Every structure is written in structure tokens, then in C-alpha cells.
Amino acid sequence: MIEDKNQQRTDLNNLGEFALIDHLTKNFKINHKSTIKGIGDDAAVLDFDKKKIVVTTDLLVEGVHFDLSYTPLKHLGYKSVIVNLSDVFAMNAKATQITVSIAVSNRFPLEALEELYAGIETAASIYNIDVIGGDTTSSTTGLLISVTAIGEVKGDDETYRNGAKPNDLLVITGDLGGAYLGLQVLEREKEVYKVNPNSQPDLEAYTYIIERQLKPEARQDIIKLLSDLEVKPSSMIDISDGLSSEILHLCKQSHVGCDLYEEKLPLDPVVISACEEFNIDSTTVALNGGEDYELLFTISQEDYPKIKANPNLSVIGHIRESEAGMHLVTRADSRIPLKAQGWKNFNN
Ligand code: ADP
Ligand code: MG
């Protein structure tokens, strides 16, 4: 398992809340002209000059959304930003600012929070986001992290879940199922470690899927690509709970049906071999494994020539009238109704 490499343990009680906030936030820089005032006053001040803005928030709870026995705090900080940016991009907006709120128990030393904030800072820097505020409080149980992300929309470019039309193409970015399988590998290693703490796992073959779980990326590149290609999706959603569940959201809100083709589902070779090893069906993983943070969108058939050559984009099906229902068309050409198995957090 991942050892705490920091030998030093500075007790949070020695610092006090204000010194802690100052310590954690002193490196954040402001890059966007829409940020008039960031950290340091009672509230941040933003000026978007008549642009529409999008706002989204997510709460991550220890033991429900993450397990610190195999999640390095730096990765956790990074991921807590990414999951929010993914929601901003799913609106076809440009992410500009975040706030970060944390509740921590005194079992965490300052060095642990420094790690968490190093991850937050890395994500903010890579994705060019201003960190403009937050809140810091104590928790009697585990760690809680809440990030709120803000973004701006160019003209009327925002995309909703409810705009899909019959005959539109269903498009997915990247590949599916990796994050779920990465989690299976980490959970398995955790069990091995419990039995034999001296075991040295060789996880090299699983690097791709473990990264998909611990250090996901949000598809900022796709928002730029769509803008460059002059393609505005008729609807869009990000994959946090699993493809099946997200397709059902899109179709229900758009009052349409769809055919999704099993043979078109994009799978990485590492995902395919891990499925064989864990003896799980790769289609089930692609449909129900969550946390891939890819974008699912629909486009009009006219836009197909603009996207067809792009290796980041796969057409996986098409939209139908609502009477047709929502189906997976299997390799054997049978039609199976799509079900939302969803993500496991709600079973906890
Ligand atoms: P208040 O008492 O008005 O809530 P705080 O003392 O909590 O103010 O916060 C002071 C400043 O530090 C504010 O700008 C707030 O947004 C920011 N801040 C507090 N906690 C965090 C945090 N964990 N991460 C980033 N910014 C924070
Ligand atoms: Mg406060």
C-alpha cells in the first residue's frame, strides 16, 4: 500500500484555522480577468461581462467516494477538482474558477493537507483555473471535500441533456470501463495487503486503469476541439455513473429513444485483458463502470464528416423516436433494453 512518505507530522491544533487557510492557499494565483477578487475577503467577486455562467458542485466523502488506504492525498486533491471540471465541460463551457471546502479531523497532520492542496494546485494549474475561495472546518469522522466550479459560456454554446433529436448520432470520447477496473485492482491489492503487509505488488501492467481511477482527466480538449470543428452537440453529459445510466438521462430528458451498438463501445486493450482476468464481461464494464469522466454527446448527422476522422471520438449509436425505446444492439444482433445499474456508492 501507499506509505506516508512525510516523516514530519505537524498537528493542526498548533496552527489555528486562519494560519492553516493562509498556509494552504498562499500559492494560488489569479489568471482570469473575470476574477476581480479571489481568496481573502468575505466573498470572491467575479465579472463575466454579460456572459452566461455555469456553476456546479460535488461533495466527496471518505469511505463513500474514496478510500485513503490506497488513494494518495495528492491524487485525491487532483481528482476532486477534475470531477467538477468535467461537469463544466459537459455544459460545453470553459472552466474558470473553483472554490474548495474541506472538513478534516485532527488525525490529519498539516503535511497531509499540504499533499491534498498540492494536487488541487496541480489541477488548477494544468486546467488554468483560479482557486477563489472555500471553507475550512473540522470533522469528527472522516475527510470531506466539496469543490464548486464555475465556467463561462461562449454565446449560446451551452449544451443541455435535453436536446437530442431522432437520427442524431451518439458519440463518446476516449474509452470506457478503465476507472472501474482500476478500482477492482486497488481493492484486490488492499485485501492482499491485509493478509500479507510485506507483499510488494507489481502493478505495472495495470498502470493505465489505476491512473484512470486515481488520477482521471476531464475533457477540456474536447470542448476546444468541438469549437474548432464548429460542431455544437445537440445534447451532452459526462460519464460519472456509467454509460448506461448517462444515456438513459439524455434520452429521458430529450424524450427520445436510442440504439447503442455493443461492437462500437471503445475499450482499451488493458481494459479487455483486466476483464478476462477478473472474469467480467467487458460490455457490462463499459456500460456500468463509473467514473470515466468522458463526454457523451449527440450531433446531427450533417456534422458526421467533421468528427469521423478523430481518434478521440467514437460513434456508438444513434437516437430514435421515443416509442422505439432504449436498447443495446449486441454483436449477435439481439436487442437488450438498457438499464441503469449505476454506480456503487449508493449501495454503501
Ligand atoms: P469566513 O469566516 O468569511 O467564512 P474564512 O476565514 O473561512 O472566511 O475564509 C477566509 C478566506 O479564505 C475566504 O476568502 C475563503 O473563501 C478562503 N478559504 C477558506 N478556506 C479555504 C480553503 N479550504 N480553500 C481555499 N480557500 C479557502
Ligand atoms: Mg469560512
Side-chain angles (χ1 to χ4, degrees):
M1 289 292 105
I2 292 130
E3 299 292 329
D4 184 3
K5 291 186 205 76
N6 277 312
Q7 298 304 316
Q8 217 180 330
R9 290 182 57 92
T10 310
D11 194 330
L12 290 181
N13 294 323
N14 297 346
L15 270 154
E17 184 191 335
F18 300 120
L20 174 63
I21 294 171
D22 188 51
H23 185 81
L24 293 177
T25 63
K26 61 177 187 284
N27 291 331
F28 290 125
K29 300 203 174 49
I30 298 299
N31 288 316
H32 289 277
K33 69 175 197 298
S34 53
T35 310
I36 308 295
K37 176 79 192 179
I39 291 168
D41 213 307
D42 294 312
V45 179
L46 306 178
D47 182 353
F48 285 97
D49 195 17
K50 292 186 192 147
K51 284 201 190 98
K52 277 178 252 183
I53 70 162
V54 299
V55 180
T56 176
T57 196
D58 264 305
L59 175 62
L60 299 179
V61 178
E62 184 181 351
V64 179
H65 302 98
F66 57 88
D67 182 333
L68 288 178
S69 63
Y70 52 71
T71 310
L73 281 159
K74 194 169 175 179
H75 289 62
L76 181 63
Y78 192 88
K79 184 170 175 175
S80 62
V81 175
I82 295 305
V83 301
N84 279 276
L85 299 186
S86 180
D87 282 323
V88 171
F89 301 143
M91 299 305 289
N92 204 25
K94 173 180 146 189
T96 45
Q97 289 93 3
I98 56 168
T99 63
V100 179
S101 298
I102 51 173
V104 270
S105 68
N106 53 16
R107 86 179 147 93
F108 292 93
L110 175 65
E111 288 73 18
L113 296 186
E114 284 174 349
E115 282 292 295
L116 182 76
Y117 267 73
I120 292 169
E121 224 176 299
T122 305
S125 144
I126 290 175
Y127 286 83
N128 187 25
I129 309 296
D130 295 346
V131 182
I132 56 159
D135 201 18
T136 308
T137 186
S138 54
S139 151
T140 50
T141 53
L143 175 66
L144 278 84
I145 308 168
S146 173
V147 175
T148 297
I150 296 166
E152 61 181 45
V153 174
K154 201 166 79 192
D156 291 323
D157 275 359
E158 81 270 26
T159 50
Y160 297 93
R161 294 177 176 184
N162 67 4
K165 301 274 178 305
N167 299 320
D168 281 356
L169 301 175
L170 254 180
V171 185
I172 184 90
T173 64
D175 52 71
L176 296 167
Y180 174 81
L181 286 165
L183 183 64
Q184 302 314 303
V185 171
L186 291 165
E187 294 275 357
R188 182 179 69 186
E189 294 311 318
K190 183 182 173 181
E191 293 310 311
V192 172
Y193 180 82
K194 276 188 198 160
V195 180
N196 178 8
N198 295 321
S199 69
Q200 284 291 329
D202 181 6
L203 299 178
E204 207 178 298
Y206 308 107
T207 304
Y208 177 66
I209 55 181
I210 290 176
E211 279 209 354
R212 293 286 282 169
Q213 170 59 222
L214 292 182
K215 191 176 169 288
E217 302 293 346
R219 300 308 305 250
Q220 192 173 44
D221 58 327
I222 299 297
I223 303 314
K224 173 156 191 320
L225 176 74
L226 291 171
S227 163
D228 290 349
L229 295 174
E230 295 180 11
V231 172
K232 183 188 170 187
S234 47
S235 67
M236 185 147 64
I237 190 169
D238 75 323
I239 309 286
S240 50
D241 293 337
L243 179 66
S244 224
S245 152
E246 314 300 0
I247 288 185
L248 294 181
H249 285 310
L250 267 193
C251 287
K252 282 183 183 157
Q253 293 206 23
S254 300
H255 304 288
V256 294
C258 72
D259 278 356
L260 170 68
Y261 291 88
E262 182 181 24
E263 64 180 359
K264 305 280 188 196
L265 295 172
L267 298 170
D268 187 90
V270 178
V271 167
I272 295 171
S273 57
C275 281
E276 282 166 12
E277 189 182 330
F278 283 91
N279 203 13
I280 349 179
D281 176 46
S282 61
T283 301
T284 306
V285 168
L287 290 177
N288 302 311
E291 297 199 292
D292 286 317
Y293 301 106
E294 297 294 342
L295 294 171
L296 171 73
F297 56 91
T298 54
I299 58 168
S300 120
Q301 301 237 4
E302 285 162 31
D303 285 330
Y304 177 64
K306 297 187 197 166
I307 66 131
K308 70 173 181 194
N310 197 295
N312 289 302
L313 305 175
S314 309
V315 176
I316 53 172
H318 59 268
I319 300 298
R320 301 187 58 177
E321 301 288 346
S322 68
E323 297 73 42
M326 294 159 272
H327 292 93
L328 175 74
V329 182
T330 67
R331 288 195 183 83
D333 214 22
S334 59
R335 298 167 57 79
I336 301 174
L338 281 174
K339 280 204 244 7
Q341 209 160 306
W343 187 227
K344 63 160 202 154
N345 289 336
F346 286 104
N347 300 332
N348 286 351

